[in-house]
Amino acid sequence: NPATNELKIQSAALRIESIDVYDLLGEKILHRTLDGESKALLDVRTLPAGVYFVTVRDEQNNSVIKKIVKM
């Protein structure tokens, strides 16, 4: 964080099932479904500069929310 072209999400402990990116208004602007992978790479070049929230869900439907800044 901050990101310009790509966003790398990685977890040694969790198996990622899905990733959602929301803008400041709470609108979902990106969604990616994974198959229990431990890392993912999102292309964020098309997003306008700003602040976004990323929700990462694991196979047990636990979620983690992080703020990112797109430059």
Side-chain angles (χ1 to χ4, degrees), residues 2-71:
T4 51
N5 294 325
E6 59 189 22
L7 177 64
K8 181 190 274 188
I9 299 171
Q10 187 170 341
S11 172
L14 300 175
R15 296 291 176 204
I16 302 168
E17 289 295 319
S18 68
I19 300 170
D20 294 310
V21 179
Y22 297 88
D23 64 14
L24 284 176
L25 298 175
E27 270 189 60
K28 187 187 297 186
I29 55 172
L30 282 175
H31 173 78
R32 182 160 176 204
T33 302
L34 299 145
D35 192 23
E37 299 171 32
S38 61
K39 59 183 172 181
L41 194 61
L42 295 178
D43 183 358
V44 294
R45 287 180 283 184
T46 60
L47 296 179
V51 177
Y52 298 90
F53 294 95
V54 178
T55 301
V56 179
R57 293 190 196 286
D58 71 4
E59 69 275 359
Q60 296 174 349
N61 208 28
N62 298 313
S63 63
V64 175
I65 301 171
K66 296 289 183 177
K67 179 178 74 170
I68 64 163
V69 177
K70 166 66 166 70
M71 300 302 277

